[in-house]
Amino acid sequence: MEMDRRMVMGLMTSASLMPGVALASAGENVLTQAWTGPYGGVPPFDKVRIEDFEAAFDAAMKSQRAEVTAITQNKAAPTFENTIVALETSGAEMERVSTLYGVWSGGLSTPDLQAISKRLSPKLAAFGDEINQNEKLFQRIKAVYDKRASLKLTPEQDRLLWVTYNGFVRSGAALSPQAKTRVAEINKELSTLFNQFSDNLLHDEEQVLYLGKDELPGLSEGFLASAASAAKAAGKEGLYAIPNTRSAMEPVTTFCTNRATREKVWRLFVNRGDNADQWDNNALIKKILKLRFERARLRGYPTHAHWRVENAMAKTPENAMKLMESVWPAAVKRVHEEVADMQKVADAEKAGITIEPWDYRFYAEKVRKARYDLDENEIKPYLQLDKLVEGMFWAAGQTYGFMFKKVEGLPVFHEDVTTYEVSRDGKVAGLFYFDPYARKGKRSGAWMNAYRSQSRDGTKFIMPIVSNNSNFLEAAPGEPILVSWDDATTLFHEFGHAIHGLSSNVTYASLSGTSVARDYVEFPSQVNERWLSTPEVLSRFALHYKTKAPMPADLLEKIKKADNFNQGFGTVEYLSSALIDMKLHLAGDADIDPDAFERDELTKLGMPKEIVMRHRTPQFAHVFSSDGYSAGYYSYLWADVVAADCSEAFAEAPNGFYDKTVAGRMMKYILSVGNTIDPADAYREFRGRDADPAALMRARGFA
C-alpha cells in the first residue's frame, strides 16, 4: 500500500519540499527547519521529540498562512507563476513536520503521541479547510484556469493548473459560505474519528497470545525460536508469543496441526476492532459513513463514492462495481472447487470436520502438496529476508539500471532502519529507507512513504527520499528471518511503489512519483511482484538458509506450475472487502449497523462461508483511518487489470521481464512521469492501446 503523507495528515496542500531554503518562522524548532546534511538534506529523525510537534505545527501553519496571504494580496493580475507556482512552493515547513509526524504516527506511536494526535487532528483538518476554502485564493486560481487556453503552458504546467483547480473545486472552494462552514465542521469531526479508529485498532493489534509449545505443533523451528525470544523479552519465559498480526496469523493457520490453536489465533485476528468493548470501532464507522454522505451531498455528489471515484480511472462507482461483479462469480466458483478438494483431504484423514475459515490455509497446503508436490515449508527455507532484499535490488538494477548501496551515519527513527543510496546512470537518484520489523507502536501491514517527493527548483534536481515499511517477525539471535511466499510477494509489491517514487523526473512535487489516481498507483507495484517468481531472481537469491544451495530447478518448476493455486481464496478474500467498501459508501443516508451490513451484504453476494473478508469492516484501516482508500479499495483490482496487461507486454518480449526495450518504455511513459499526464493516456503511450481486461482473467487462471 502506498501512503501519501499529505493524505495521512488530511491536508490538501500542494506544497513541495525545498531543502536548503530556510523560512523565517522556523525559529528554533528543528521539526520545521530546512533539512541539512548530504543528499540535499535528510530528515532529522535523531532530533525529533514528541513534545515539539504541537509547537512545530503551529509555526508551520503560521508560515504557510503568511505565504497564502502573500499570494492573495498580490496586486498583480493572477498568473501561472505568481499564483499556481507560488502555491505549489508554499508550505515547505508543513511538509517537513508532517513527514516526521507521519513516521512517528505509523511506526512509533505511544500514548503520549496519541494524546497529542487527538488535539492536533481537528486543528490540522481546520487548517486544511482554511486554505482549500480561501475565497480570494480560489478566485486567483480560477482566473488563471479560465484563461489557460491562451497561456501557452507546457503540458506539465497545464496538468498542474488542472490538478490545482480541480482539487480546490472538489474540496468545496466553489460552495456557498454556509456549505463551506459545514464541510469544514465535518472534516474536523472526521479527523477525530479517523484518529480514534486508528488508536482502537492499534490497541487490538498490540494484543499478544502466550501459548505453550504443546499448543503449537507443526510450526517451524525458526518461527518457534522467534516466538520464544519475543515471549522471553516480555517476561514470559517458557511460553511462545503470537502477536496479533497477519505475519503471525498466517503461518499458524497454515501449519499448526492443533485446530483449537488455529481457531484461537484466527478469531483474535479477525475480530480486531469488533469486540463490543471500549476499543470497538462499529459506532465510529457509523458516524464516519453519515458524515461522508452529508459532505458529498454538500459538494454536489449523490454519494461519497461518486465524489471519490470521479477523479480516478474508473470515473464512476458503477464502472468499478461492474469490474468487481464481472470477476466475482468466477472467483466464488473457484473457491467452491478449492473447498471441495480440501474437504476430500480432511475426509480421507478421517478428521471428522467440515472446513472452516481457520482450516482453509491448513488444508490448502495439503492440497498443494498432493497436487504439485509442493508445500510452503519446502519453499520457506529458501526465502531469507536479507537475500530477498538483495534480490529485489538486483532485479531493479537489471531492469531499470538502479544501484543500491548501504550508507551509514544518516539519522534514522529506529535502530531497525537501514538506509541506502540509490543511483542510476552514474548519478545519485535518491535515498531508500527500509524498516522491516514489527514492534509495539507500529501499525500493521506494509506500506511505502515518500519522505520527500522529487521535484526541481529551477535547474536543481531535488532527489526523492522514500521508505518501505513492513511487519516481519524478528528471528531469534543468530537465526535468519524466513518469510512466506505471500510475505515475499508483499515485499516486492511495496518495493514497486519505492521504484515508482525513485524514478520520478518531473518539475512539480505535487505531480511527482506516486501522486496519481488511486486505481492506477497500485499498477506498477503489482507488476513489480512478478520479478520475485522469475528464475533469474530465485536461482540467485532463493538460497537455502543452511546449505546456501540455490533453489533446485525442480522446485522452481513446481512453483511455476502452482502459480494460480488458491486464486479463488485470494480473489474472494480481497474482492469481498472491496465490494463491501463500495456498497457501504453507495448506501447513502442509510442507518447502517456495520456488522449487520457486512453480514447481510455478503450473504446476498453468496460469500463462501469458509472465507472472511481480508479486512473486515471494524478493522478496515484503508477505509476508516482516513479518506485514503474509502470507496477506493476496488482500485487494487482495477490496477491489477492494467498490471496483468503490462506483465504480458514483458512476458511477450524477447528477454521477458528483463527486456530493456519494454523496461525503457515503462520508465519513459509510466514510472518517470508521475501525474504530469492523464494515467489512461500514459498507459496508451506505453502499450499502444488500452489495457485488456481479459489479461486479468488469464493471470488468475479464470479464463
Side-chain angles (χ1 to χ4, degrees):
M1 178 176 67
E2 180 269 339
M3 294 292 289
D4 187 307
R5 63 186 175 278
R6 281 166 284 186
M7 181 269 291
V8 171
M9 295 307 304
L11 298 177
M12 297 287 289
T13 63
S14 57
S16 63
L17 292 173
M18 300 176 64
V21 180
L23 297 172
S25 66
E28 295 303 315
N29 197 316
V30 70
L31 305 187
T32 59
Q33 290 176 350
W35 296 351
T36 60
Y39 305 103
V42 295
F45 291 129
D46 57 333
K47 297 178 181 177
V48 172
R49 299 189 309 168
I50 290 176
E51 58 267 29
D52 289 341
F53 275 122
E54 289 184 272
F57 273 113
D58 285 341
M61 286 187 282
K62 181 180 180 181
S63 174
Q64 190 168 6
R65 193 174 284 121
E67 291 169 323
V68 169
T69 299
I71 296 171
T72 60
Q73 292 183 354
N74 191 332
K75 300 299 183 183
T79 66
F80 181 80
E81 286 295 328
N82 71 20
T83 300
I84 306 303
V85 174
L87 179 63
E88 168 71 11
T89 54
S90 72
E93 290 186 29
M94 180 61 77
E95 282 282 344
R96 288 192 283 266
V97 65
S98 295
T99 295
L100 300 171
Y101 181 72
V103 170
W104 258 251
S105 296
L108 296 165
S109 185
T110 63
D112 286 347
L113 186 70
Q114 291 166 20
I116 291 171
S117 182
K118 284 180 171 63
R119 297 192 294 270
L120 276 175
S121 293
K123 183 186 293 188
L124 292 172
F127 179 69
D129 282 320
E130 177 187 328
I131 293 177
N132 292 328
Q133 296 183 4
N134 186 310
E135 181 64 21
K136 291 181 180 179
L137 179 62
F138 177 62
Q139 288 306 319
R140 289 186 68 91
I141 293 169
K142 186 176 185 299
V144 180
Y145 183 78
D146 287 345
K147 60 182 180 183
R148 65 192 182 282
S150 65
L151 297 180
K152 297 181 180 180
L153 300 174
T154 68
E156 184 175 351
Q157 289 172 333
D158 188 66
R159 182 70 173 176
L160 178 65
L161 176 55
W162 178 83
V163 167
T164 303
Y165 174 78
N166 189 53
F168 270 75
V169 171
R170 283 172 49 78
S171 296
L175 298 180
S176 69
Q178 295 84 355
K180 285 182 180 179
T181 298
R182 181 56 188 148
V183 167
E185 290 171 351
I186 290 171
N187 286 338
K188 192 173 181 180
E189 187 172 354
L190 281 171
S191 72
T192 300
L193 295 172
F194 294 156
N195 193 68
Q196 188 61 54
F197 182 98
S198 298
D199 287 350
N200 288 350
L201 184 56
L202 181 61
H203 169 272
D204 282 5
E205 289 176 342
E206 289 184 340
Q207 303 311 300
V208 179
L209 282 175
Y210 293 98
L211 304 176
K213 190 172 184 179
D214 60 331
E215 297 177 276
L216 296 167
L219 274 299
S220 69
E221 291 179 9
F223 183 92
L224 291 173
S226 176
S229 178
K232 183 178 180 180
K236 303 279 187 179
E237 191 164 2
L239 295 176
Y240 296 79
I242 310 298
N244 198 17
T245 65
R246 187 175 298 277
S247 293
M249 179 276 292
E250 289 189 349
V252 171
T253 55
T254 302
F255 301 114
C256 185
T257 57
N258 185 322
R259 192 178 189 226
T261 297
R262 295 201 305 269
E263 181 178 358
K264 185 185 298 184
V265 171
W266 178 86
R267 287 194 182 281
L268 185 69
F269 186 75
V270 302
N271 286 328
R272 289 167 295 145
D274 193 27
N275 293 298
D277 55 19
Q278 68 188 89
W279 300 284
D280 190 282
N281 275 330
N282 283 283
L284 298 178
I285 292 168
K286 187 173 183 177
K287 292 178 183 176
I288 289 170
L289 291 170
K290 287 277 191 180
L291 290 169
R292 280 176 171 163
F293 173 72
E294 183 186 354
R295 185 180 59 182
R297 294 303 295 269
L298 287 167
R299 288 170 168 169
Y301 295 88
T303 69
H304 176 76
H306 289 84
W307 176 71
R308 284 293 296 166
V309 180
E310 177 191 51
N311 242 18
M313 291 188 76
K315 303 301 182 188
T316 69
E318 290 77 18
N319 287 339
M321 287 293 293
K322 182 178 179 182
L323 174 63
M324 291 189 283
E325 289 171 345
S326 71
V327 176
W328 180 256
V332 170
K333 181 172 182 280
R334 178 61 58 83
V335 166
H336 292 318
E337 294 168 355
E338 291 170 2
V339 171
D341 289 340
M342 291 187 286
Q343 192 63 56
K344 287 178 184 176
V345 173
D347 292 345
E349 293 179 348
K350 301 189 185 311
I353 66 164
T354 300
I355 300 296
E356 297 288 352
W358 49 90
D359 300 315
Y360 208 112
R361 291 178 176 85
F362 182 75
Y363 280 99
E365 277 304 301
K366 290 177 176 284
V367 172
R368 180 158 61 174
K369 176 67 176 174
R371 183 172 298 170
Y372 301 103
D373 191 26
L374 178 69
D375 63 38
E376 185 76 30
N377 278 328
E378 188 178 2
I379 302 170
K380 202 166 184 178
Y382 294 93
L383 300 181
Q384 301 176 67
L385 178 60
D386 288 349
K387 298 302 295 182
L388 289 171
V389 171
E390 289 181 31
M392 72 186 193
F393 289 166
W394 180 86
Q398 293 297 307
T399 310
Y400 303 117
F402 283 113
M403 300 293 289
F404 292 80
K405 181 179 74 174
K406 187 181 294 187
V407 291
E408 306 288 348
L410 297 182
V412 293
F413 55 88
H414 193 277
E415 61 184 9
D416 291 344
V417 178
T418 307
T419 55
Y420 298 85
E421 176 188 285
V422 186
S423 59
R424 187 169 181 265
D425 297 329
K427 298 178 181 178
V428 177
L431 289 174
F432 175 69
Y433 289 55
F434 187 48
D435 177 25
Y437 308 129
R439 61 176 170 268
K440 187 175 177 63
K442 186 177 183 180
R443 67 181 178 85
S444 65
W447 65 95
M448 170 267 196
N449 274 129
Y451 297 156
R452 180 172 71 212
S453 297
Q454 178 271 324
S455 65
R456 282 189 174 80
D457 179 12
T459 59
K460 182 181 178 183
F461 182 85
I462 308 299
M463 67 179 62
I465 303 177
V466 305
S467 75
N468 276 170
N469 311 271
S470 305
N471 270 282
F472 295 108
L473 302 181
E474 286 195 78
E479 295 294 321
I481 298 172
L482 302 179
V483 305
S484 69
W485 185 262
D486 282 349
D487 280 342
T489 300
T490 300
L491 181 74
F492 272 68
H493 175 99
E494 296 305 331
F495 188 59
H497 285 309
I499 291 172
H500 197 173
L502 290 165
S503 300
S504 183
N505 187 18
V506 305
T507 301
Y508 304 110
S510 59
L511 300 181
S512 80
T514 57
S515 302
V516 296
R518 185 63 68 192
D519 52 10
Y520 189 75
V521 73
E522 296 295 339
F523 131 63
S525 56
Q526 288 171 338
V527 172
N528 203 66
E529 295 173 15
R530 270 69 169 185
W531 271 269
L532 169 63
S533 58
T534 60
E536 291 87 346
V537 166
L538 292 178
S539 63
R540 288 173 172 82
F541 302 99
L543 307 180
H544 196 282
Y545 77 102
K546 288 184 177 178
T547 67
K548 313 303 180 187
M551 186 177 284
D554 63 335
L555 184 54
L556 287 172
E557 186 61 26
K558 290 177 187 179
I559 291 172
K560 184 177 179 180
K561 287 181 178 179
D563 188 46
N564 283 320
F565 179 72
N566 227 27
Q567 278 292 329
F569 173 85
T571 304
V572 166
E573 184 193 44
Y574 154 75
L575 200 48
S576 56
S577 293
L579 283 162
I580 292 300
D581 165 40
M582 190 62 78
K583 286 174 176 288
L584 281 167
H585 290 100
L586 285 172
D589 198 30
D591 198 22
I592 288 174
D593 174 337
D595 274 347
F597 186 93
E598 176 186 306
R599 181 181 61 249
D600 295 345
E601 290 299 321
L602 290 177
T603 299
K604 293 176 188 176
L605 286 167
M607 176 75 166
K609 68 177 183 61
E610 299 86 2
I611 297 179
V612 296
M613 297 161 59
R614 182 169 182 83
H615 304 287
R616 289 196 54 241
T617 311
Q619 62 214 217
F620 211 163
H622 287 75
V623 174
F624 296 111
S625 65
S626 73
D627 277 331
Y629 277 81
S630 59
Y633 198 62
Y634 80 89
S635 59
Y636 287 92
L637 186 69
W638 193 280
D640 211 9
V641 169
V642 186
D645 187 75
C646 176
S647 297
E648 289 187 346
F650 276 101
E652 293 161 1
N655 295 306
F657 280 86
Y658 299 90
D659 191 271
K660 298 296 185 184
T661 301
V662 179
R665 294 206 313 270
M666 184 80 170
M667 178 62 70
K668 180 179 180 179
Y669 296 118
I670 306 296
L671 297 176
S672 68
V673 300
N675 192 26
T676 58
I677 61 175
D678 183 89
D681 293 337
Y683 192 76
R684 290 187 199 104
E685 290 285 346
F686 164 75
R687 195 70 161 108
R689 56 167 174 77
D690 289 329
D692 177 10
L696 176 69
M697 304 301 275
R698 291 191 289 271
R700 300 200 176 199
F702 297 161

